[in-house]
């Protein structure tokens, strides 16, 4: 994806040689990933940086979007938790015979 530009050079024995700038860039990439940003989102941010601008505004927008996604996931999980607790509160270890014949597990169908 070209995230580590400028490209690294190699030593005579084949090891990659990283400049301080490349190590800083790699640290930024890893930190961004740990915050949930995708490589394509990171690429967009690095393009802003590489054009000579401070990308903090772009980073903030991506993080705000990530927070909104997390909030939606939390809501979906809370709804699922509520549904599961509701099922478990009325759980019958031995459901009526007529329901057993019609389903695989009457407690969830």
């Amino acid at each position: 994806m070209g995230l580590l530009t400028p490209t690294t050079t190699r030593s005579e024995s084949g090891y990659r040689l990283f400049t301080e700038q490349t190590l800083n860039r790699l640290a930024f990439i890893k930190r961004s990933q740990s915050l949930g940003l995708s490589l394509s989102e990171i690429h967009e941010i690095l393009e802003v940086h590489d054009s000579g601008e401070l990308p903090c505004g772009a980073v903030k927008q991506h993080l705000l979007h990530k927070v909104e996604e997390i909030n939606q996931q939390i809501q979906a999980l809370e709804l699922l938790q509520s549904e599961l607790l509701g099922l478990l509160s009325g759980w019958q270890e031995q459901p009526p015979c007529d329901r057993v014949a019609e389903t695989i597990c009457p407690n969830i169908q």
Side-chain angles (χ1 to χ4, degrees), residues 14-94:
Y15 291 103
R16 290 183 181 176
L17 302 173
F18 295 102
T19 64
E20 187 68 28
Q21 178 187 8
T22 304
L23 292 175
N24 285 336
R25 194 173 181 100
L26 184 58
F28 174 82
I29 292 167
K30 296 309 287 177
R31 176 65 174 143
S32 297
Q33 284 181 308
S34 75
L35 294 172
L37 297 180
S38 68
L39 289 178
S40 76
E41 291 170 320
I42 295 167
H43 186 264
E44 290 174 21
I45 293 166
L46 289 173
E47 283 182 335
V48 173
H49 174 267
D50 294 344
S51 72
E53 297 178 41
L54 192 61
C56 293
V59 171
K60 182 179 181 181
Q61 290 307 310
H62 283 290
L63 294 179
L64 286 170
H65 180 70
K66 193 61 58 181
V67 168
E68 182 55 36
E69 287 178 350
I70 291 168
N71 285 334
Q72 291 173 2
Q73 290 173 340
I74 289 170
Q75 289 175 355
L77 287 171
E78 286 175 340
L79 182 62
L80 177 59
Q81 179 187 37
S82 176
E83 184 177 355
L84 292 172
L85 290 173
L87 281 171
L88 291 170
S89 71
W91 199 264
Q92 297 175 332
E93 290 300 326
Q94 293 297 320

